[in-house]
Amino acid sequence: NAGVTQTPKFQVLKTGQSMTLQCAQDMNHNSMYWYRQDPGMGLRLIYYSASEGTTDKGEVPNGYNVSRLNKREFSLRLESAAPSQTSVYFCASSGSFGQYFGPGTRLTVT
Amino acid sequence: GQQLNQSPQSMFIQEGEDVSMNCTSSSIFNTWLWYKQDPGEGPVLLIALYKAGELTSNGRLTAQFGITRKDSFLNISASIPSDVGIYFCAGRNYGGSQGNLIFGKGTKLSVKP
């Protein structure tokens, strides 16, 4: 039982490049989330998916797109990366007792 | 928008000391959660609270859901070196969807030099 897994763990992009962050959970949770964490800002919600086939914007959705591929997988895409998107990205899924987080992806955009 | 104030921002602990931190909200929450994050890792859920007045323990950790539903505190008794990390509170309000979990900015626990 791996919980929530994310790939890659680290990534460096040049401004304008695109990439997709992958997330998968094996806890059979309906809801999944993408957050970004910046120093002094705590965790901010980018997008979430309450169930397979649905997605909704969070607090900071601009510059991102998401896909809920199936119940297990929820991916985050940066179409044209900008330095302001340098951050640590966390995926989470929600069960009865709260949200459970993956180990994070550290993204640097130069 | 909603705000969740967490204090203190940082604190230094000596092994064996008790530690206390709290969160206050500008609006009513129906769920409070406390997380701990170690460097390079994702937050790990420590305690979840669902009812006003609820007091819940997890080992040396105790958290309470305030009676006003606008605050929560976390106590750590007899701290040990592995308690070092960043602690986050998070709340969800009445009527909020699963996505409306709001996080505090964290309390960083460090060891006294």
Side-chain angles (χ1 to χ4, degrees), chain A residues 52-68:
Chain A
E52 187 179 347
T54 69
T55 60
D56 284 287
K57 294 178 180 178
E59 181 186 354
V60 289
N62 291 345
Y64 305 96
N65 285 302
V66 290
S67 296
R68 183 73 182 269

Side-chain angles (χ1 to χ4, degrees), chain A residues 4-23:
Chain A
V4 180
T5 57
Q6 292 181 237
T7 55
K9 203 159 173 65
F10 300 95
Q11 183 72 49
V12 179
L13 292 177
K14 289 186 163 58
T15 297
Q17 286 185 318
S18 62
M19 80 159 295
T20 300
L21 281 64
Q22 307 286 353
C23 173

Side-chain angles (χ1 to χ4, degrees), chain B residues 37-90:
Chain B
Q37 186 177 25
D38 292 323
E41 304 289 332
V44 174
L45 182 63
L46 299 173
I47 292 178
L49 303 159
Y50 302 103
K51 288 193 305 190
E54 181 181 355
L55 185 72
T56 297
S57 293
N58 179 4
R60 293 177 296 104
L61 277 61
T62 303
Q64 184 157 26
F65 192 142
I67 290 290
T68 65
R69 296 177 177 156
K70 291 185 178 183
D71 60 350
S72 177
F73 71 76
L74 176 71
N75 284 346
I76 305 172
S77 63
S79 58
I80 59 178
S82 61
D83 289 334
V84 162
I86 302 178
Y87 291 79
F88 291 98
C89 62

Side-chain angles (χ1 to χ4, degrees), chain A residues 9 31 33 35 37 40-43 45 48 50 90 94-104 106, chain B residues 33 35 37 40-45 47-48 50 86 88 92 97-106:
Chain A
K9 203 159 173 65
S31 299
Y33 313 83
Y35 291 90
Q37 186 177 38
M41 299 293 290
L43 286 148
L45 183 65
Y48 68 100
F90 288 101
S94 184
S96 305
F97 300 105
Q99 290 185 15
Y100 299 88
F101 286 80
R106 190 171 294 272
Chain B
L33 305 171
Y35 288 86
Q37 186 177 25
E41 304 289 332
V44 174
L45 182 63
I47 292 178
Y50 302 103
I86 302 178
F88 291 98
R92 182 162 58 231
S97 70
Q98 283 285 344
N100 286 347
L101 193 61
I102 298 165
F103 282 83
K105 293 184 180 178

